């Protein structure tokens, strides 16, 4: 509903004014504090007719050729219209009347007065009066129910009251307004309005919003509010059709609402920002006349009462144009940001000067309708305005383009599909908007960069959290820097280009050991810096030419490359550079962002190659950075914090929603840092805004992480959440160690211990709930030691079936542990290798494998060929998350790898005498290192076999046991001793055996089974693997 | 007990500081403090906070109650009520003095806070004097000291006890004296 704002006209002297149309709409009637009523034939009427009604006129109303005014002589007078002859005095008060209003038929007049009374007077017989008493302060405004049953009034005592006229009683009273002692002191005139025709709604301006109350139930149906409206609303008026509501506010903001859709369909600003105190709709609904406290009269023309959804949609795109357009410095701070779930709120109508921002489609459509207009194809709506209006158009230079939407709307090629979202502007994470006079240019884990830009000073303050890094700095900002980043080594500042000066990059390299601690670079003409960031030993700047320029921290130009789209923001950490850019255009409020992660280390590579950034719907990016441990992380405007999960193919996992912690709806947390160990989200609570002010100095608060798992109110859900959070947040250990950093081994083992404890607790819980299958699933995530515990737990709680399954599992785990050591079969080796790789990337790191669940290695080795490609990409699936069919396990742990497979099984079964009966024994064997007997058996198996070649495997053992018993006590003791002392050189011995080329299957498998019972130190195994690999 | 001793006790109260240095946990007899991370608020006793502040090693975050609005509320309540109202901190006077003297640059509206706390203090001391007066004039044997802080009790203690002693002496002297007087009369 685009409308034209006509230039203001001087009408009255300074002071309160009121305006109304006559019934035909041919005249505008205004009254003002000069005591005159003026009758304008049109806005351009140079000689309006004036009627003097008193010293001052506060309010006027016109109907059926009778003009009623509230004047300063404590009377409500009547004049004939348009002649302006005095027609008697309707009623008197003890002090002046403040507002007068006609009912819909024009038979009655209501008047509110400063003597706290409201009077209802019959126009035909002024002796018939009804007095409504009950207000405790001057009456601000009155309005009739169109059905003549009720009357609503607002008063300085803060109440809005609905009266039953006939009974002169209060129906309901709402304490809505701010109290004051007089109309002149009241913040708002609070001109109420009752919906015409249907009379269903009563509109009450309350502060910056309009509240709509339903007739009869008197319930608050809805509230019309608008982010732009920061000033109290003075006056509301319904369109004659009752569909639209116009509001005028103190700051001069005129808003037109579609009440049903609660949409703001138009918004105009008073050209000088004066307070609007009078508002009236033309009877045809196409014009709104308004007056201000400076006595001026204005007109909005070209309003259409048939607002189609398409115009609405176009309006919404316009508003998004505005959304990220921070040219308007007078905006409230968080206005440029969409509120969650209420797109209607974001509808920002354009001021005239924003017209060039229109999406092309709209502009074209408008122009075309202008041409059509030239061909005299005016629609009835504008014809109704009277022919004299046409003359006005011709006078106005801009009138060719701006045309009543009433004519434009039906001619639009209606597009009702999804509307593209304007691109989010580039920003520096950790900065507040650039249009603020005092703002944070950067707040990160190193320090704070503040920018001041007021009349006195244009300066940049750099302050370090840790003064050991550097003392605080104060720089004059003569270049007008708007972007900043701060690291342990340097401060990087950048300014956009101006007409004369090129865009500049300035670096204060304070950690430099020479005396020259500053360098500056001019960008090529026409190229603007959009985002900057600092890493360790490098600086990066993304420019408007879709280029990324790298510099060394000393000022040497390094690589440069093109970006796939306009940059949104960047972050650097050590050797990592994270870039977020626009991948394309999003629709319906969504942003289409892509992300790149580059490594500048020894092996330069692109880790994330322009993948889409998963951001909440209808939100935009609000923070991007790395955790203190170097994991990429970002936060969107919905407050969701997402962390890169390197162990799950570089996916993004939501770890926290800051909005969950906010008390109020408009409160936000402004994030300044993320730490994985300890798990902390460092942020600044902002009450009622998105950004903190620089003064008073905001204090940092800490939020915990919480994965949005299901049912976290239950014990199970809580433990699952804790477990996966712990797993996720210790991923960085793997990354750090693999990229050659030192890691805090203690913290890592603590985290792993915590995970295993949680697994055990969950295991116990599932046991209690008789969920044995689930128990096994959990056991698969455990380390072998913990599985042993689990077995013990299961057997103690008399769950033999479970214990049996677990023991099989433990066996496989033990197998897997040894897997990497064996290299005699090339095929098998490659398979193991993949399995192992996946473990490493699974987060445990090369040097420590204790905590990571090993169970899936079974599956790994079985399906490795199909999964190899992903492994090679360095992005294997997290070991624990694989779901597997448990059927696989009992069947064949390693289908092809072992030649004498069935035999081996038999051996196993003989070591592990029926589990259900011998669980304790089983556990014993399972965890124990080799016994002396086993060692002896290994040595002597061949001789036994030689003696009795036809023996079954079980018989071999029996035979061996017999022979072992026959040994002398001393011999047996020595074997036992050997078993104890042997662990260390076991591998050596094994290799020696292998080198003998003894490929006797049975012997071999036996050896394996023996080793199974002895969980080796994990790291020793891994290192052994590394060794044998070479 | 003199005021400096009360102040000493007040220094054991904890206050939040934002250190600008990095230090691991320190283990003291009174408990562990830290770890200190630059930029992260941490709670330490007032004595340490002041020490660090004097060495420019931290910024002090004012206690929650040290806020103009809250103090105004307390002052108004204090003026309205006949009896003593609960104070925001048992050492409000000492803490205000300590923090404002040493860290007024970290506390917005320091002057207003100083005035408000002084107002509260004056109101309470006036009440205390009044009640001490009525205590003596009505010859009561005991009085309730609800919601009084150590410092407040301390300001009146020595004087009140001394004067009570004096009065006791005077009275007890008076009685034998009067009996003597009587005897003399006879």
């Amino acid at each position: 509903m685009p409308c034209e704002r006509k230039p203001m006209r001087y009408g009255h002297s300074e002071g309160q004014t009121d305006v109304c149309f006559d019934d035909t709409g041919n005249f505008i009637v205004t009254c003002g504090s000069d005591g005159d009523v003026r009758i304008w034939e049109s806005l351009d009427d140079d000689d309006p007719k004036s009627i003097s009604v008193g010293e001052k006129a506060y309010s006027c109303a016109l109907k059926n050729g009778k003009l009623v005014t509230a004047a300063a002589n404590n009377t409500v007078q009547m004049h004939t219209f348009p002649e302006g002859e005095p027609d008697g005095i309707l009623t008197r008060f003890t002090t002046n009347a403040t507002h007068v209003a006609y009912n819909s038929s024009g038979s009655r007049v209501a008047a509110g007065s400063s003597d706290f009374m409201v009077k209802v007077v019959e126009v035909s017989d002024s002796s018939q009066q009804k007095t409504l008493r009950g207000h405790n302060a001057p009456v601000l405004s009155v309005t009739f129910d169109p059905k003549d049953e009720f009357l609503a009034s607002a008063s300085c005592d803060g109440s809005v009251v609905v009266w039953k006229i006939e009974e002169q009683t209060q129906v309901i009273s709402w304490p809505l307004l701010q109290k004051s002692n007089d109309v002149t002191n009241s913040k708002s005139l609070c001109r109420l309005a009752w919906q015409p025709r249907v009379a269903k709604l009563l509109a009450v301006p309350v502060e910056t919003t309009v509240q709509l109350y339903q007739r009869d139930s008197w319930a608050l149906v809805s509230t019309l509010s608008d982010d732009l409206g920061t000033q109290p609303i003075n006056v509301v008026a319904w369109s004659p059709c009752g569909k639209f509501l116009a509001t005028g506010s103190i700051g001069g903001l005129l808003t037109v609402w579609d009440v049903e859709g609660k949409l703001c369909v138009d918004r105009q600003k008073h050209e000088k920002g004066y307070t609007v105190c009078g508002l009236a709709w033309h009877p045809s609904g196409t014009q709104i006349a308004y007056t201000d406290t400076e006595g001026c009269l204005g007109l909005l023309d070209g309003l259409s009462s048939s607002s189609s959804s398409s115009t609405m949609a176009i309006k919404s795109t316009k508003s998004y144009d505005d959304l990220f357009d921070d040219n308007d410095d007078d905006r409230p701070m968080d206005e440029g940001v969409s509120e969650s779930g209420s797109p209607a709120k974001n509808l920002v109508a354009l001021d005239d000067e924003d017209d060039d921002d229109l999406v092309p489609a709209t502009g074209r459509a408008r122009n075309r309708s202008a041409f059509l207009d030239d061909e005299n194809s005016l629609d009835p709506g504008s014809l109704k305005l009277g022919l004299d209006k046409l003359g006005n158009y011709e006078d106005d230079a801009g009138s060719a383009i701006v045309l009543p939407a009433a004519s434009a709307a039906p001619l639009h090629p209606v597009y009702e599909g999804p509307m593209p979202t304007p691109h989010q502007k580039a920003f520096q994470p950790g900065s507040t908007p650039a249009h603020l006079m005092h703002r944070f240019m950067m707040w990160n884990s190193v320090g704070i960069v503040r920018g001041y830009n007021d009349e006195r000073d244009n300066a940049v303050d750099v302050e370090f959290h840790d003064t050991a890094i550097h003392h605080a700095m104060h720089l004059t900002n003569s270049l007008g820097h708007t972007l900043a980043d701060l690291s342990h080594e340097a401060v990087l500042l950048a300014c956009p280009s101006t007409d004369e000066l090129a865009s500049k990059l300035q670096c204060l390299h304070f950690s430099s050991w020479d005396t020259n601690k500053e360098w500056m670079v001019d960008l090529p003409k026409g190229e603007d810096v959009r985002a900057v960031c600092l890493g360790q030993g490098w600086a990066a700047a993304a420019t408007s030419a879709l280029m990324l320029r790298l510099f060394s921290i000393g000022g040497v130009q390094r690589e440069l490359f093109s970006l796939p789209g306009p940059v949104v923001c960047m972050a650097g950490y050590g050797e990592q550079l994270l870039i977020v850019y626009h991948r394309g255009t999003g629709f319906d409020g969504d942003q289409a962002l892509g992300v790149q992660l580059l490594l500048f280390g020894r092996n330069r590579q692109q880790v994330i190659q322009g993948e889409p950034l998963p951001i909440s719907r209808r939100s935009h990016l609000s923070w991007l950075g790395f955790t203190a441990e170097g994991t990429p992380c970002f936060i969107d405007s919905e407050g969701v914090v997402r962390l890169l999960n390197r162990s799950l193919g570089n996916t993004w996992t939501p770890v926290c929603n800051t909005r969950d912690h906010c008390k109020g709806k408009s409160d936000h947390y402004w994030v300044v840092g993320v730490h994985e160990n300890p798990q902390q989200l460092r942020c600044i609570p902002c009450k009622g805004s998105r950004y903190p002010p620089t003064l008073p100095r905001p204090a940092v608060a800490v939020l915990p992480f919480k994965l949005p798992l299901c049912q976290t109110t239950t014990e199970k859900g809580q433990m699952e959440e804790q477990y996966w959070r712990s797993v996720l947040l210790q991923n960085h250990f793997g990354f750090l160690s693999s990229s050659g950093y030192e890691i805090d081994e203690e913290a890592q083992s603590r985290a792993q211990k915590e995970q295993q404890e949680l697994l055990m607790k969950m295991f116990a819980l599932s046991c209690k709930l008789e969920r044995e299958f689930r128990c096994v699933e959990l056991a698969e995530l455990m380390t072998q030691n913990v599985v042993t515990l689990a077995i013990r737990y299961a057997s103690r709680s008399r769950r033999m079936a479970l214990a049996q399954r677990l023991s099989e599992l433990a066996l496989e785990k033990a197998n897997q542990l040894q897997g990497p050591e064996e290299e005699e079969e090339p095929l098998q080796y490659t398979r193991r290798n993949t399995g192992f790789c996946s473990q490493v990337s699974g987060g445990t790191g090369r040097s420590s494998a204790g905590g990571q669940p090993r169970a899936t290695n079974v599956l790994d080795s079985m399906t490795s060929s199909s999964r190899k490609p992903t492994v090679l990409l360095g992005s294997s699936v997290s070991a624990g998350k694989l779901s597997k069919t448990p059927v696989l396990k009992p069947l064949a742990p390693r289908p092809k790898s072992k030649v004498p497979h069935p035999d081996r099984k038999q051996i196993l079964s003989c070591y592990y005498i029926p589990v259900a009966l011998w669980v304790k024994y089983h556990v014993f064997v399972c965890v124990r290192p080799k016994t002396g007997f086993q060692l002896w058996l290994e040595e002597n198996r061949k001789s036994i076999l030689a003696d009795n070649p036809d023996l079954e495997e079980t018989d071999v053992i029996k035979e061996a046991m017999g022979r072992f018993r026959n040994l002398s006590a001393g011999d047996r003791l020595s074997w036992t001793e050997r078993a104890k002392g042997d662990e260390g050189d076991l591998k050596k011995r094994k290799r020696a055996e292998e080198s003998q080329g003894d490929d006797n299957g049975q012997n071999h498998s036996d050896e394996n089974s023996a080793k199974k019972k002895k969980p080796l130190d994990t790291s020793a195994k891994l290192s052994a693997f590394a060794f044998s690999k070479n | 007990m003199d005021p400096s001793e009360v102040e000493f006790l007040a220094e054991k109260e904890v206050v939040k500081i934002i250190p600008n240095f990095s230090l691991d946990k320190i283990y003291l007899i009174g408990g562990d403090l830290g770890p200190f991370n630059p930029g992260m608020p941490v709670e330490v006793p007032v004595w340490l906070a002041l020490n660090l502040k004097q060495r420019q090693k931290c910024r002090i975050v004012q206690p929650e109650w040290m806020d103009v609005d809250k103090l105004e509320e307390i002052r108004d309540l204090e003026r309205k009520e006949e009896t003593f109202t609960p104070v925001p901190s048992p050492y409000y006077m000492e803490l205000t003095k300590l923090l404002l003297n040493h860290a007024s640059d970290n506390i917005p509206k320091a002057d207003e806070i100083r005035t408000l706390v002084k107002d509260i203090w004056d109101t309470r001391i006036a009440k205390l004097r009044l009640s001490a007066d009525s205590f003596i004039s009505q010859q009561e044997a005991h009085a309730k000291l609800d919601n009084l802080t150590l410092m407040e009790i301390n300001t009146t203690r020595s004087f009140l006890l001394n004067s009570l002693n004096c009065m006791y002496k005077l009275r007890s002297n008076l009685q034998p004296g009067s009996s003597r007087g009587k005897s003399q009369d006879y």
Side-chain angles (χ1 to χ4, degrees), chain B residues 33-145:
Chain B
L33 297 178
F36 298 91
N37 291 317
M40 284 302 290
V42 61
E43 288 201 333
V44 297
V46 171
W47 59 264
L48 183 61
L50 293 179
N51 184 288
L52 290 173
K53 176 69 196 171
Q54 279 169 343
R55 289 189 288 151
Q56 304 199 329
K57 290 276 183 199
C58 74
R59 283 190 305 119
I60 294 180
V61 180
Q62 66 200 90
E64 230 167 74
W65 54 266
M66 206 180 276
D67 171 77
V68 172
D69 290 343
K70 280 184 186 146
L71 287 174
E72 266 174 358
E73 220 169 85
I74 292 167
R75 181 194 61 185
D76 294 346
L77 189 69
E78 188 67 60
R79 283 182 178 166
K80 213 168 68 191
E81 292 285 322
E82 277 292 299
T83 52
F84 294 96
T85 54
V87 281
S89 153
Y91 298 104
Y92 72 100
M93 191 62 194
E94 302 89 304
L95 288 181
T96 314
K97 186 167 166 276
L98 286 171
L99 297 186
L100 289 182
N101 281 353
H102 294 100
S104 53
D105 52 334
N106 295 152
I107 297 171
K109 300 190 182 170
D111 291 340
E112 275 180 62
I113 289 170
R114 202 190 293 270
T115 320
L116 279 168
V117 172
K118 187 85 172 76
D119 281 354
I120 296 172
W121 170 264
D122 287 347
T123 319
R124 291 173 68 91
I125 293 298
K127 271 186 200 173
L128 191 60
R129 289 205 188 106
L130 267 182
S131 56
D133 182 46
S134 65
F135 175 74
I136 289 165
S137 61
Q138 290 171 17
Q139 305 225 338
E140 293 289 344
H142 53 85
K144 257 193 191 172
L145 295 178

Side-chain angles (χ1 to χ4, degrees), chain A residues 140 604 846:
Chain A
L140 283 169
R604 302 176 170 210
R846 215 168 281 264

Side-chain angles (χ1 to χ4, degrees), chain A residues 445 463-468 680 682 696-702, chain B residues 16 18-22 37-41 56-57 59 61 108:
Chain A
S445 56
E463 192 185 311
F464 295 86
H465 293 315
D466 191 342
T467 42
Q680 285 180 341
R682 297 181 178 178
R697 207 184 151 99
V700 178
V702 169
Chain B
K16 250 192 209 162
I18 297 174
N20 58 17
F21 60 97
S22 172
N37 291 317
M40 284 302 290
Q56 304 199 329
K57 290 276 183 199
R59 283 190 305 119
V61 180

